[in-house]
Amino acid sequence: MKPENTKLNIYEITKLDKKKCDSIRQKILEKKQRYTQDELSYIQRMNQYNMFNNDELHHIVATFSNLAISNKL
């Protein structure tokens, strides 16, 4: 037997909040450098589900690299 409703979107499957994901994507597009702890955990979870394109990933890696370097100095 097949379930009747098989049209699930990524947010229903991952249990991520669409508004938070959209807000984080907007900050990434605007090349923001500061993120809250909640946003950082969402970025990690969104990355687990491959929700970022290459440009977004480049910005995230560059931001985290800068944070890591500045914390070491």
Side-chain angles (χ1 to χ4, degrees):
M1 258 188 171
K2 256 185 159 178
E4 300 256 341
N5 185 6
T6 58
K7 293 182 180 181
L8 295 175
N9 65 34
I10 188 73
Y11 302 104
E12 291 171 344
I13 294 168
T14 61
K15 306 290 188 213
L16 293 171
D17 183 19
K18 184 178 181 343
K19 288 182 182 180
K20 284 185 182 179
C21 291
D22 290 344
S23 169
I24 291 169
R25 281 182 175 272
Q26 186 61 37
K27 284 182 90 170
I28 291 170
L29 287 174
E30 293 172 358
K31 306 286 188 205
K32 300 286 185 183
Q33 297 294 318
R34 296 183 182 262
Y35 298 95
T36 65
Q37 190 64 38
D38 186 45
E39 291 169 337
L40 292 174
S41 66
Y42 254 76
I43 288 172
Q44 183 180 14
R45 289 179 61 205
M46 290 169 70
N47 188 45
Q48 288 175 344
Y49 295 107
N50 298 321
M51 296 176 75
F52 296 116
N53 63 33
N54 282 340
D55 291 335
E56 293 167 335
L57 283 174
H58 286 217
H59 171 70
I60 291 167
V61 169
T63 300
F64 289 152
S65 296
N66 287 337
L67 286 173
I69 290 169
S70 67
N71 286 338
K72 297 245 178 190
L73 296 178

